[in-house]
Amino acid sequence: MAAETVTSSELLSVVASRELAGRHAVFAGIGLPTLAASLAHLTVAPDLEIVYESGVCGAHPSHLPETIADAVLITGAEAVIPMPTLFGSVLQGGHIDVGFLGAAQIDKWGNLNSSVIGDDWHRPKTRLPGSGGANEVMANSAEVFVVMRRHDLRSFTEELDFCTSPGPDRALADGIRPLGAGVTRVITELGILAREGVGEELKLAALHPGVTVEDVKANTGWELRTSGDLSVIERPSDAELALLREDVDPERVYLR
Amino acid sequence: MAAETVTSSELLSVVASRELAGRHAVFAGIGLPTLAASLAHLTVAPDLEIVYESGVCGAHPSHLPETIADAVLITGAEAVIPMPTLFGSVLQGGHIDVGFLGAAQIDKWGNLNSSVIGDDWHRPKTRLPGSGGANEVMANSAEVFVVMRRHDLRSFTEELDFCTSPGPDRALADGIRPLGAGVTRVITELGILAREGVGEELKLAALHPGVTVEDVKANTGWELRTSGDLSVIERPSDAELALLREDVDPERVYLR
Amino acid sequence: MAVESATGTSDAPRTTDRTRASDKTMTMREAVAAHVRDGDTVSLEGFTHLIPTAAGHEIIRQGRRDLTVIRMTADIVVDQMLAAGCVSRLVSSFVGNSSAGSLGELRRRVEHADPEPLAFEEYSHYGMICRYMAGAQRLPFYPLRSYGGSDLPDVNPALRKVTSPYPGPDGEPEEIYVVPPVNPDVTIVHAQRADRSGNTQVWGLTGVQAEAVYAARKAVVVVEEVVEDEVVRSDPNRTLIPAHAVDAVVVCPRGAHPSFAQGYYDRDNAFYRAWSGISKDKERLTAWLDEWVHGTGDHAEYVAKLGEEFWDGLAVGEAMSLPVNYGRRL
Amino acid sequence: MAVESATGTSDAPRTTDRTRASDKTMTMREAVAAHVRDGDTVSLEGFTHLIPTAAGHEIIRQGRRDLTVIRMTADIVVDQMLAAGCVSRLVSSFVGNSSAGSLGELRRRVEHADPEPLAFEEYSHYGMICRYMAGAQRLPFYPLRSYGGSDLPDVNPALRKVTSPYPGPDGEPEEIYVVPPVNPDVTIVHAQRADRSGNTQVWGLTGVQAEAVYAARKAVVVVEEVVEDEVVRSDPNRTLIPAHAVDAVVVCPRGAHPSFAQGYYDRDNAFYRAWSGISKDKERLTAWLDEWVHGTGDHAEYVAKLGEEFWDGLAVGEAMSLPVNYGRRL
């Protein structure tokens, strides 16, 4: 199992899983976040629970789920709760340590756009799906991890076309007291950007082996600063890859 | 089954049942209101549903329930709903046609006191149980029926010692838009007081046979006015009494 | 004494002319004809599970126009209703084909006003949930900790702020966003089973269906099967929607396809993936509607047209819940 | 890169150090010792059904003082805790012995400050429910259509008004009362069953227990029985309280007496009727506490002392729910 054969999905899943060390409750969609959380459960976060946006807590699926509402997530789960309870008591109630989000655009404060591409919301160039629960995941999770396959100037922008899910800095400017730290980790094919909370920009914190600071800067739309203790990300270990490939996604549904 | 043998409980139950003609959803506690609603279901209101404060809808009890939470109300019921749904969606949501309430004191506007006797809430002469759901039943039911065994100056007062459950007139004066008509019927051992809605006092609307207007006035703490079409209440019919005694409460749990 | 009905002072939208004991079963055709009118505000709920697709198709067949559709996840059924010209306004928090791709018609309407503009009110999921809760609870607004710093309030004037009358944790006044209630003219949901009077039981993902029903002036429940009263009454906690909130019960097996009904049939993931392609091409989309909606008289024909082999592919096995004891007085 | 925990900016009371998979079972003695401290705000919920009496008794045995007790229906268990001197403040919406009579100790405390005053915050039922909902949902307030024109706001300054940012039905500004959140230090509820990690299943009357648990910093679930994981997982919709909200699971059969546990034992109506007499006489009340609470080491002793014949009188028969199919992928 040589490191060279590691796919992008495997790499991102393994790196994200390490960031979940010690966490208890994760709000995650299907795909890389589920793979990361499932791997973390087997390695660095044995008590980890994945809460799905559909209301499933403590799933024990017979097959790897294809959607957050896959019937296999429900059968055998520990609890299935109504949506008002999920969003009201669990998410807004403050029970989520880490929420996973994706987005079409992210800026240096970790604000996210998943609504439209183009200047005019009313007549967008591209209509995207919108918030779903992203606005709430951002507002209420203790912290948010963003996993982006693509690290390029289209996604990492100086200015968002539209802010769907704001971080705490924008909330404060709007007179609203933020409850969480916002985006604290952005995990991409190039490395990891990180910030800790209010008033902090996303800085380059770690690089994948072989990637340079210049590579990342060239693909980031704002003037990216580098963390003082910039590190190189350890390659996925044989143990991590074995668990991921044999236990988490043996049919390679997501490990494309 | 001569009318002379009719007990006070039977009389009040029968009279109250007639007032439920055509109603669909009743919010009722155990005792006379349940008897009245059960009898109405067999006579003037075949579609009547009793919703209990405990969250039971469409009960089919094997025995006459002793409390609103009696286990026999739950087994075999059509629905048992959580308290936030009961009070939020059913009651405040506007699904109750008639709410039944009791009280220690009632005034001419149909405002009710079930909190304290005595001038000082902080150091009352008698501490009563308080609102329970009465404040909400009053605020949200389309109309409220009050069944009072005792019709005397202690209960029918010019001024309440404390207003626990206000009618719509007091709500308006407090700047709150009322949703229901408040108390529209007060059924006692002497007769029926009635009002239709905002701005109206309770007036004497009907008398039991043998009771005089003066009897009622002497036992009412405010200057009671009489309705233009004052009527005499028909005695319970043999059919009503038979249903009440044989079908509704054959073990005479409440028909003392 | 004559019993007069109190008029009260309420101008709230609720009607309480629903009866509990009566038989409310009717066909989908009858239910849509009776309860969905041109210009209505129609809520179709079901979060990825139990999506009332068959009801959407019947609305298309009956040619309803100028509807305001309220649906958290505006997905395939909404794209179909848009393409059929039923919808002039959409209120939603997610306009995508699940995780499987895009909604072609919706994007043409929004991005190019093709063939005509679509009025769109954008919320987040919890914003929609709170609107239903406010509607169900007859509240003037519902507070939520969303939207602070978002651009959504700039394009949706319904998102407003209230100052709490209690000091915040720092002792200073605290502001919070609120959403207004929604009271649909009719809410349509799909469920596993109900009795004839409308006591509706749902398991698996229960979404926001109960709140959407309580918020509505009228409610239609579409079910996989109508069961005897004894079945429902053996487990009253399973009744998510009591009869007093229901106006019509429609029996429509497999009416949630391509979504799923837990314990009845599985999700048709292949159709979700196919929809992005179908809907991207207006001609293909029109042909699909002609064949599968206008070309079928009702959902039973649609089901038959898909064929037994197809349904075998979505069949599920048994995983029965263990019973609980409600107790009986001895 | 070292993983550092984000401090965030939240000063909300929530802790997320609860784990899902671990075994949280402990004895009542351990649970009360660990989670109920002098001066705490303690919520005990269960609306006439599943009242956590045994937990109240253990709080008495351990001599807790200066508690603020939050309970919608302050009934026998509250009267007992008052008499034992545990409680300095009560937050409630109904202070009566069900429909069976009075609470003697409560009335002495309120009417005569005997033996000492009781701080009392009076609400209505829905006011209490909304306080729990605001607490669970981390809201600064919760609006409700109660209290307009009531004297309750005069004696309870927590009842305040907010003006809706949307016009009322008449186009004019609309005011509504609100209540503040409650976040108990610990909520204790009784339930039929849970697994070892705290996934708690309740049937029959479910009251406000889930909201009271979610509102609390810590939660103790007392159950009639702990069951194997497979039992809970056979019916995940029955789980009212997920493990992530639970800190301790206490197995305590018949711990809800004199209230009832649907399907397990019936209500002891005779004791409810007797309580008015017992509590009216301070000496009788003290003797009752000495014999039945201080005089028993734990609830198992209390149960044994009542005797088998007694429990036979509260036994219930079988009325099993019909199972539903959750489905299995083929």
Side-chain angles (χ1 to χ4, degrees):
Chain A
M1 231 183 290
E4 301 88 79
T5 67
V6 173
T7 69
S8 160
S9 297
E10 288 170 342
L11 181 66
L12 292 172
S13 302
V14 167
V15 172
S17 78
R18 295 173 186 162
E19 301 289 318
L20 292 171
R23 304 314 207 285
H24 298 297
V26 169
F27 198 93
I30 296 297
L32 296 185
T34 308
L35 296 183
S38 300
L39 180 57
H41 179 59
L42 298 172
T43 53
V44 293
D47 286 332
L48 198 72
E49 175 186 22
I50 306 177
V51 176
Y52 292 95
E53 199 179 37
S54 52
V56 179
C57 306
H60 298 275
S62 58
H63 301 67
L64 196 73
E66 290 194 46
T67 73
I68 55 160
D70 195 315
V72 302
L73 284 171
I74 286 92
T75 303
E78 294 167 27
V80 176
I81 57 179
M83 205 132 279
T85 306
L86 176 79
F87 275 91
S89 298
V90 179
L91 185 50
Q92 190 173 281
H95 288 273
I96 299 299
D97 297 316
V98 178
F100 275 94
L101 290 176
Q105 294 179 330
I106 183 170
D107 71 12
K108 74 172 112 177
W109 305 103
N111 303 306
L112 303 178
N113 173 21
S114 57
S115 292
V116 291
I117 298 298
D119 285 343
D120 184 3
W121 176 90
H122 296 90
R123 195 66 178 271
K125 192 160 157 287
T126 307
R127 177 66 233 190
L128 305 166
S131 166
N135 184 286
E136 283 80 30
V137 170
M138 181 72 96
N140 297 299
S141 304
E143 51 185 319
V144 171
F145 289 2
V146 173
V147 182
M148 308 262 269
R149 279 175 194 277
R150 207 170 56 187
H151 192 143
D152 62 21
L153 295 174
R154 281 172 56 191
S155 302
F156 289 75
T157 58
E158 175 71 31
E159 269 197 63
L160 304 178
D161 288 356
F162 185 89
C163 178
T164 314
S165 305
D169 295 281
R170 280 187 66 124
L172 276 171
D174 191 18
I176 299 294
R177 188 170 65 94
L179 296 173
V183 173
T184 57
R185 298 288 180 276
V186 184
I187 297 151
T188 79
E189 57 187 4
L190 298 182
I192 299 176
L193 311 191
R195 61 184 276 287
E196 297 309 326
V198 170
E200 276 192 52
E201 294 180 23
L202 283 164
K203 292 183 198 163
L204 180 58
L207 293 166
H208 290 295
V211 177
T212 67
V213 172
E214 286 317 306
D215 291 339
V216 184
K217 286 192 172 183
N219 285 288
T220 302
W222 67 85
E223 203 166 318
L224 181 67
R225 296 202 282 175
T226 300
S227 171
D229 54 351
L230 180 69
S231 61
V232 173
I233 298 167
E234 267 185 51
R235 291 176 196 276
S237 71
D238 287 353
E240 286 168 327
L241 288 172
L243 286 169
L244 193 61
R245 291 168 178 174
E246 286 156 35
D247 290 6
V248 175
D249 188 8
E251 294 170 40
R252 301 191 75 77
V253 176
Y254 298 106
L255 288 176
R256 293 163 278 172
Chain B
M1 230 181 288
E4 301 86 82
T5 67
V6 173
T7 68
S8 161
S9 297
E10 288 171 341
L11 182 65
L12 293 171
S13 302
V14 167
V15 172
S17 78
R18 294 173 186 161
E19 301 290 317
L20 292 171
R23 305 311 208 285
H24 298 297
V26 169
F27 198 94
I30 296 297
L32 296 184
T34 308
L35 296 183
S38 300
L39 180 57
H41 179 59
L42 298 172
T43 54
V44 294
D47 286 334
L48 198 72
E49 176 186 21
I50 305 177
V51 176
Y52 292 95
E53 199 178 38
S54 52
V56 179
C57 306
H60 299 276
S62 58
H63 301 66
L64 195 74
E66 291 194 46
T67 72
I68 56 162
D70 195 315
V72 301
L73 285 171
I74 286 90
T75 303
E78 294 168 26
V80 176
I81 57 180
M83 204 131 281
T85 305
L86 176 78
F87 276 90
S89 298
V90 179
L91 185 51
Q92 190 173 283
H95 288 272
I96 300 300
D97 297 317
V98 178
F100 276 94
L101 289 177
Q105 295 179 329
I106 183 169
D107 71 13
K108 73 172 112 178
W109 304 104
N111 302 305
L112 303 178
N113 172 20
S114 58
S115 290
V116 291
I117 299 297
D119 285 345
D120 184 4
W121 176 91
H122 295 91
R123 194 65 177 272
K125 190 160 156 291
T126 306
R127 176 65 233 191
L128 304 167
S131 166
N135 185 286
E136 283 80 29
V137 170
M138 181 72 97
N140 298 299
S141 303
E143 50 185 320
V144 170
F145 289 2
V146 172
V147 181
M148 306 262 272
R149 280 176 194 276
R150 208 171 54 187
H151 191 142
D152 61 22
L153 296 172
R154 281 172 55 192
S155 302
F156 290 74
T157 57
E158 175 71 31
E159 268 198 62
L160 304 179
D161 289 355
F162 185 89
C163 179
T164 314
S165 305
D169 295 281
R170 281 187 66 124
L172 277 170
D174 190 19
I176 298 294
R177 188 170 65 94
L179 296 173
V183 174
T184 57
R185 297 290 180 276
V186 183
I187 296 151
T188 79
E189 55 186 5
L190 299 183
I192 299 176
L193 311 190
R195 59 184 278 287
E196 297 308 325
V198 170
E200 276 192 52
E201 294 180 24
L202 283 164
K203 291 182 200 164
L204 180 58
L207 293 165
H208 290 297
V211 178
T212 67
V213 171
E214 287 317 305
D215 290 340
V216 184
K217 286 192 172 183
N219 285 287
T220 302
W222 67 85
E223 203 166 318
L224 181 66
R225 296 202 282 175
T226 299
S227 172
D229 53 351
L230 179 68
S231 61
V232 174
I233 298 168
E234 268 185 53
R235 290 177 197 277
S237 71
D238 287 354
E240 285 169 329
L241 288 172
L243 285 169
L244 193 60
R245 291 169 178 173
E246 287 156 34
D247 290 8
V248 174
D249 188 8
E251 294 170 40
R252 301 190 74 77
V253 175
Y254 298 107
L255 288 176
R256 296 163 275 169
Chain C
M1 198 186 70
V3 174
E4 294 144 11
S5 106
T7 54
T9 59
S10 168
D11 46 10
R14 205 71 65 227
T15 59
T16 49
D17 57 350
R18 290 160 180 158
T19 58
R20 179 178 60 90
S22 55
D23 185 336
K24 297 174 191 154
T25 56
M26 58 182 80
T27 66
M28 184 74 87
R29 193 173 299 148
E30 291 166 341
V32 168
H35 296 301
V36 184
R37 286 167 228 178
D38 287 354
D40 270 1
T41 295
V42 181
S43 161
L44 299 164
E45 281 303 343
F47 189 81
T48 73
H49 179 217
L50 298 170
I51 297 174
T53 315
H57 288 179
E58 183 58 26
I59 290 170
I60 294 172
R61 283 190 200 99
Q62 296 195 18
R64 288 292 173 282
R65 287 291 175 272
D66 198 26
L67 301 179
T68 293
V69 167
I70 316 213
R71 180 162 166 71
M72 287 176 62
T73 53
D75 38 24
I76 292 176
V77 67
V78 171
D79 213 33
Q80 294 170 346
M81 291 171 73
L82 287 170
C86 306
V87 184
S88 59
R89 173 175 288 268
L90 177 64
V91 182
S92 180
S93 45
F94 190 87
V95 292
N97 175 14
S98 177
S99 51
S102 276
L103 302 177
E105 183 70 14
L106 182 134
R107 289 188 55 183
R108 279 188 294 276
R109 291 281 293 267
V110 173
E111 295 169 9
H112 306 290
D114 170 20
E116 53 183 345
L118 175 68
F120 177 43
E121 293 177 36
E122 182 170 3
Y123 289 88
S124 59
H125 275 352
Y126 195 46
M128 293 285 287
I129 293 166
C130 290
R131 290 201 66 188
Y132 283 123
M133 291 197 288
Q137 296 171 28
R138 217 163 39 164
L139 287 173
F141 61 85
Y142 201 100
L144 72 172
R145 292 205 180 271
S146 306
Y147 302 130
S150 169
D151 284 334
L152 284 166
D154 294 341
V155 297
N156 185 345
L159 303 174
R160 298 186 186 173
K161 280 186 209 165
V162 157
T163 302
S164 171
Y166 310 104
D170 57 359
E172 296 295 310
E174 188 172 6
E175 286 193 305
I176 187 163
Y177 274 94
V178 300
V179 292
V182 63
N183 291 110
D185 292 306
V186 59
T187 286
I188 308 178
V189 299
H190 194 95
Q192 279 108 335
R193 70 188 186 195
D195 64 21
R196 286 171 179 77
S197 58
N199 288 297
T200 305
Q201 300 198 321
V202 184
W203 57 98
L205 303 176
T206 56
V208 76
Q209 281 97 309
E211 290 74 16
V213 162
Y214 270 116
R217 290 172 180 84
K218 298 276 179 185
V220 176
V221 171
V222 185
V223 291
E224 290 296 318
E225 53 180 335
V226 158
V227 293
E228 293 307 311
D229 293 347
E230 293 71 47
V231 174
V232 164
R233 295 180 194 174
S234 85
D235 200 353
N237 287 108
R238 190 87 71 192
T239 303
L240 197 75
I241 302 168
H244 61 231
V246 173
D247 295 276
V249 176
V250 174
V251 185
C252 184
R254 294 164 174 169
H257 174 266
S259 80
F260 67 111
Q262 193 81 32
Y264 287 74
Y265 47 89
D266 217 335
R267 192 171 189 264
D268 183 359
N269 290 316
F271 187 76
Y272 275 88
R273 284 190 292 269
W275 185 255
S276 296
I278 295 170
S279 68
K280 195 170 181 176
D281 177 343
K282 179 71 187 215
E283 271 182 45
R284 270 186 77 191
L285 172 47
T286 304
W288 189 92
L289 284 176
D290 284 345
E291 178 176 0
W292 290 95
V293 183
H294 297 298
T296 54
D298 59 17
H299 195 69
E301 266 189 48
Y302 171 100
V303 168
K305 189 172 157 72
L306 281 164
E308 275 182 42
E309 200 181 332
F310 169 84
W311 290 107
D312 287 347
L314 298 182
V316 298
E318 276 198 357
M320 305 305 285
S321 66
L322 294 171
V324 299
N325 185 18
Y326 276 89
R328 187 171 49 76
R329 184 148 297 160
L330 295 170
Chain D
M1 197 185 71
V3 173
E4 296 143 11
S5 106
T7 54
T9 58
S10 169
D11 46 8
R14 206 70 67 224
T15 59
T16 49
D17 57 351
R18 291 159 180 158
T19 57
R20 181 178 59 90
S22 54
D23 185 337
K24 297 172 192 158
T25 57
M26 57 182 80
T27 65
M28 185 74 87
R29 192 173 300 149
E30 292 166 340
V32 168
H35 296 302
V36 184
R37 286 167 226 179
D38 287 355
D40 268 2
T41 295
V42 181
S43 161
L44 299 164
E45 281 302 344
F47 189 80
T48 74
H49 180 217
L50 298 171
I51 298 175
T53 315
H57 288 180
E58 183 58 25
I59 289 170
I60 293 173
R61 285 191 198 97
Q62 296 195 17
R64 287 294 173 281
R65 287 293 175 269
D66 198 27
L67 301 179
T68 292
V69 167
I70 316 216
R71 177 160 168 73
M72 286 176 62
T73 55
D75 38 23
I76 293 175
V77 66
V78 171
D79 214 31
Q80 293 169 345
M81 292 171 72
L82 287 169
C86 307
V87 184
S88 58
R89 174 175 287 269
L90 177 64
V91 182
S92 180
S93 45
F94 190 87
V95 291
N97 174 13
S98 178
S99 51
S102 275
L103 302 177
E105 183 70 14
L106 182 133
R107 288 189 56 184
R108 280 188 293 277
R109 292 280 294 267
V110 173
E111 295 169 9
H112 306 290
D114 169 21
E116 55 183 343
L118 175 68
F120 178 42
E121 294 177 35
E122 182 171 1
Y123 289 88
S124 59
H125 275 354
Y126 195 46
M128 293 285 287
I129 294 167
C130 290
R131 291 201 65 189
Y132 283 123
M133 290 198 288
Q137 295 170 30
R138 213 161 44 163
L139 288 173
F141 62 84
Y142 200 100
L144 74 172
R145 291 203 180 271
S146 306
Y147 303 130
S150 170
D151 284 334
L152 285 166
D154 293 340
V155 297
N156 185 344
L159 303 174
R160 299 188 186 174
K161 280 186 208 164
V162 157
T163 302
S164 170
Y166 310 104
D170 57 0
E172 296 297 308
E174 187 171 8
E175 286 193 306
I176 187 163
Y177 273 93
V178 300
V179 291
V182 63
N183 291 109
D185 292 307
V186 59
T187 287
I188 307 178
V189 298
H190 193 95
Q192 280 107 334
R193 69 188 187 195
D195 63 21
R196 286 173 179 77
S197 58
N199 290 296
T200 304
Q201 299 197 322
V202 185
W203 58 100
L205 303 175
T206 56
V208 75
Q209 282 96 308
E211 290 75 15
V213 162
Y214 270 116
R217 293 174 178 82
K218 297 277 178 184
V220 176
V221 171
V222 186
V223 291
E224 290 295 319
E225 53 180 335
V226 158
V227 293
E228 293 307 312
D229 292 348
E230 292 70 47
V231 174
V232 164
R233 296 179 193 175
S234 84
D235 200 354
N237 288 107
R238 191 87 70 194
T239 303
L240 198 75
I241 302 168
H244 61 232
V246 173
D247 296 277
V249 176
V250 173
V251 185
C252 184
R254 294 163 173 170
H257 175 265
S259 80
F260 67 112
Q262 193 81 32
Y264 287 75
Y265 47 90
D266 216 335
R267 192 172 188 264
D268 183 0
N269 291 315
F271 187 76
Y272 275 88
R273 286 190 292 268
W275 185 255
S276 297
I278 296 171
S279 68
K280 196 171 180 175
D281 177 343
K282 180 71 188 216
E283 271 182 45
R284 271 187 78 192
L285 173 47
T286 304
W288 190 92
L289 284 177
D290 283 345
E291 178 176 359
W292 290 94
V293 182
H294 297 299
T296 54
D298 59 18
H299 195 70
E301 266 188 48
Y302 170 99
V303 168
K305 187 172 159 72
L306 281 165
E308 274 184 43
E309 201 180 333
F310 170 84
W311 290 108
D312 286 347
L314 299 181
V316 298
E318 276 198 357
M320 305 305 286
S321 66
L322 295 171
V324 299
N325 185 19
Y326 276 88
R328 187 171 49 76
R329 184 147 297 160
L330 295 169

